[in-house]
Amino acid sequence: MKNDSTRNFAHLDVEQLPIAKNKLHGGKHFAGLYAGEHVAATEFVIGATFVSLGASTHDILFGLLIGNILAVLSWTFMTAPIAVQTRLSLYTYLHKIAGDSMTKLYNWANVIIFTVISAAMITVSSSAVRFLFNIPAQLNWYSTNVWFILIVIAVGIVVVFVAIFGFSTVADFSSICAPWLFTLFVAGALALLPALAYSVIGSTSISSWSEFIHIGDLSIWKGVTSDGEAGIGLVEVIGFAWAANTITHVGLIDMAILRYAKKSTYGVYSSFGMLFGHYIAWIVAGIMGAGAGVLLNQPVVSLDPGDVAYYALGASGFVIVIIAGWTTANANLYRAGLAAQAIFKNHSRRKTTLVVGVFTVIIACFPFVFSKVLPMLTYAGLLVVPVGAIVFAEHFIFPKIGLTRYWAYYKKLATSKPAIISWGAGLILGFGLNAINAMSFYYLFIPTWFFTVILYTILAKMYGAKEDYTEEIKEEKQLQTDIKIYQEEKAKDEKVQYKDHSIFSKVLNTLSIICLLIITALALNTMFASADLESYNMNKDFFHKYAFYCTIGYFVFAYWSLRRKKTLIK
C-alpha cells in the first residue's frame, strides 16, 4: 500500500493534498496569527475613518463589540468546520465543487485581491521608514523619489521571504509581533489621552469614565461628520465591523489558515484579531489620531499612519507601522501564493509565492494603492461572498437534503453551470442592491449569501446533484484513505521540532514579557502622573525614549526564545 500511495501522490505538491495530521497546530499559532494580521497598519486608517464617518462614542464602544463578535462567530461556525473537515484551502476545495474553469477565474481574482492588499501594507510600512531619511510624503499615484522605491523593495523583500516559507513561518512571525503590537497600540492611546483631555476640559487628568466619554464625544467620535452632517449610527458600526472581513470568514478564504487547526473550535481564536485588533485597536487608533491632531493642530483625517504613530510613540512609532504592515502583508501574500499555486499546479507554492511577491513589490512602489485599499476590501468581500455561499451549501446543506456533495467532480465537469450562474446572479443582486441604495452597504453580503445558497441548491439539483453516485463516492473514500496512508508513511521519516523548555528559554520569555510590562507602565505613568502640560511633556518624552529601548529588548529576547528549538528524528 505504501508503494501504491507513493506512486499516486509523491508527484503532487503538498498544497493539493489535505493537510497531514503531523502538520496540525495548536491554538497558540492561530492566536498569534490572527492578532498579528489584524493589529495592523490599516487600523490607523480605520480608526480615522470612524471619526470622519461621524460615529458617536457610545456607538463605537458597543457597535464594534457586537460586530466583531459576529465576525468571530462566522469564523467559528462557518469557516473553521469546513476547513477542518476537508483540510484543504478554498482554492483547492473549490475545484471539486465548481469545476476547473470557475476555480481558475476565482483564484485569479484572489491572486489580484491579496497581491494588492499585500502591496498596500508594504507601502504603508515604507511610509514610516521615509521619515528616517527625510523623504517627502508620496501623495501622487506614482512615486516621485527613487529612495522611496528602494525602501519599498527592501521592506518587500522581508515580506516575500517570510511568506515563501509557509504557514509556520508566517505564524511564528506573527506570534512574536502580536503581543508587542497590541501593547504599543494601547500604550500610544494612553500616552496621548492627557493631551486630548487638556484640549477639551483644560486639564491633563481624567478622573472618571464619564469624563472619558465626555472627551470622546467632544474631541474624537463627535456623532457628526466633518461637514456637520449626522454620522453613522449603531447599526452601521455593527455592520462595518462584521463586514470588514467577509472576504475571509463568510467568503471562506481563511480555510487556507484554519485547515491547519486541530479542532474546528479553533475558529474562536479569530477573537484575538477581532477583539484585540479590530475592537481595541480601532478605538485606540481613533484616540491616537485625535491626540496627534491636537499636537499638530490638524484634523485626524489629514494625518497618515506615520504621523499618528510618531507623535503617539516616538521612535517606536516607526517600528510599529513597519511591523504592522509586515504582519498583514505576510498573511495576505501567503494567501495570494496559495491561489496562484492552485492555478499553476505544476509549480510549488514557494515558486508561485516568489513570482507573486515580485509583482507585489512592484505594485507597492505606487503609493495610490494604500489610499484605495479600504474600498477595495469592501467590494472584494462582496465579490467572494457568493462563492462562500456555494461552498457552504454543497458542504453542509446538500448531505442533509439528499443531494450529493462533489457531484460536479463525479460527473467530471470542467465547468459547473450552477456554480457560474449562481456566482454571477449573486454579484448582480449584491451590486444591484448597492446601486439603488436599497440598504446599507455593510449588510449587502447577507441577502447576497442567502440568495446564492438557495439558487445554487435549486440549480445543482436540476443539473445532477440528485443522481446516484454510489461508485464514485466509494472511490473517493478509498482515495482519501490512500492519501492518509501515504502521509502517515511519509511522516515517519520527517524531522520533528519541539520548543526547548529549558530554564534559559523561560528566562528569555520572562524578559520579553518584562519589556512589555515596562512599556505599559511608562504609558500609564504618562497618563496618570501628568499634573500639567509641563510634566506631561516630560513624561511623554521619557516614555518615547525608554519604550524604544524596551522594543529592541523585546524583539531580541522573543526571537532568541523562538530560535531555541531542537530538531530530532522521530
Side-chain angles (χ1 to χ4, degrees), residues 308-531:
V308 175
Y310 175 73
Y311 282 95
L313 298 162
S316 298
F318 296 132
V319 184
I320 196 173
V321 175
I322 296 169
I323 296 295
W326 273 347
T327 53
T328 302
N330 288 332
N332 285 295
L333 185 56
Y334 173 69
R335 294 183 181 109
L338 279 177
Q341 198 279 328
I343 299 169
F344 302 102
K345 297 179 181 178
N346 293 328
H347 299 280
S348 69
R349 185 200 55 79
R350 288 190 175 188
K351 185 178 293 185
T352 57
T353 303
L354 176 60
V355 174
V356 171
V358 171
F359 283 100
T360 299
V361 174
I362 293 173
I363 295 171
C365 293
F366 296 86
F368 82 96
V369 176
F370 179 71
S371 65
K372 303 298 181 183
V373 69
L374 284 180
M376 192 203 71
L377 277 174
T378 306
Y379 286 105
L382 195 57
L383 179 68
V384 304
V385 160
V387 178
I390 291 168
V391 174
F392 181 90
E394 182 133 353
H395 189 87
F396 283 121
I397 297 177
F398 279 23
K400 297 182 184 299
I401 61 175
L403 301 183
T404 301
R405 191 188 290 171
Y406 316 143
W407 64 275
Y409 172 69
Y410 294 148
K411 289 176 76 74
K412 296 180 173 58
L413 298 179
T415 302
S416 169
K417 290 183 179 179
I420 287 285
I421 294 171
S422 300
W423 188 16
L427 293 179
I428 291 172
L429 174 69
F431 286 100
L433 290 173
N434 181 55
I436 63 174
N437 293 317
M439 61 188 302
S440 171
F441 184 83
Y442 307 127
Y443 290 97
L444 287 177
F445 73 94
I446 298 177
T448 300
W449 188 87
F450 278 104
F451 171 79
T452 307
V453 166
I454 295 170
L455 178 61
Y456 177 68
T457 302
I458 294 171
L459 292 177
K461 184 175 181 179
M462 293 170 55
Y463 276 80
K466 188 68 175 176
E467 297 175 14
D468 181 42
Y469 298 97
T470 303
E471 288 301 316
E472 289 84 354
I473 293 173
K474 184 178 179 181
E475 292 177 6
E476 176 66 16
K477 288 183 178 179
Q478 184 60 51
L479 175 65
Q480 296 305 316
T481 300
D482 291 344
I483 290 174
K484 287 183 179 179
I485 293 173
Y486 162 74
Q487 291 176 330
E488 288 172 359
E489 292 293 332
K490 187 178 179 182
K492 292 179 181 179
D493 299 324
E494 292 184 353
K495 295 179 179 180
V496 177
Q497 288 187 329
Y498 76 94
K499 190 170 184 179
D500 180 14
H501 292 287
S502 66
I503 294 177
F504 185 60
S505 291
K506 292 179 180 179
V507 170
L508 290 175
N509 288 330
T510 301
L511 289 173
S512 64
I513 293 172
I514 289 174
C515 288
L516 297 183
L517 291 176
I518 292 173
I519 292 173
T520 304
L522 290 172
L524 289 170
N525 178 70
T526 304
M527 178 178 176
F528 292 109
S530 299

Side-chain angles (χ1 to χ4, degrees), residues 3 36 94 100 152 169 188 220 235 242 246 275 288 302 305 310 317 359 410 425 449 464-465 473 542:
N3 292 337
L94 187 62
D100 190 59
V152 169
T169 304
I220 312 173
V235 173
W242 190 11
T246 48
L275 300 183
M288 284 193 284
S302 68
Y310 175 73
F359 283 100
Y410 294 148
W449 188 87
I473 293 173
F542 189 80

Side-chain angles (χ1 to χ4, degrees), residues 65-141:
L65 180 62
I66 296 170
N68 282 303
I69 289 175
L70 289 172
V72 171
L73 294 176
S74 298
W75 263 297
T76 304
F77 294 107
M78 295 179 68
T79 316
I82 300 177
V84 169
Q85 291 169 26
T86 64
R87 296 295 178 195
L88 296 171
S89 69
L90 178 62
Y91 314 113
T92 302
Y93 188 47
L94 187 62
H95 185 268
K96 300 178 73 171
I97 292 175
D100 190 59
S101 299
M102 176 175 165
T103 301
K104 283 186 177 179
L105 178 63
Y106 180 74
N107 288 341
W108 269 117
N110 277 276
V111 170
I112 295 171
I113 290 169
F114 290 116
T115 296
V116 173
I117 294 173
S118 299
M121 294 301 99
I122 293 172
T123 302
V124 75
S125 292
S126 303
S127 72
V129 180
R130 73 172 175 81
F131 276 89
L132 302 177
F133 299 95
N134 294 319
I135 297 172
Q138 303 297 293
L139 303 177
N140 296 320
W141 68 269

Side-chain angles (χ1 to χ4, degrees), residues 261-284:
K262 291 181 178 180
K263 302 175 183 178
S264 62
T265 52
Y266 283 11
V268 77
Y269 282 99
S270 60
S271 60
F272 282 85
M274 294 302 98
L275 300 183
F276 291 136
H278 285 189
Y279 182 61
I280 294 178
W282 284 353
I283 291 172
V284 300

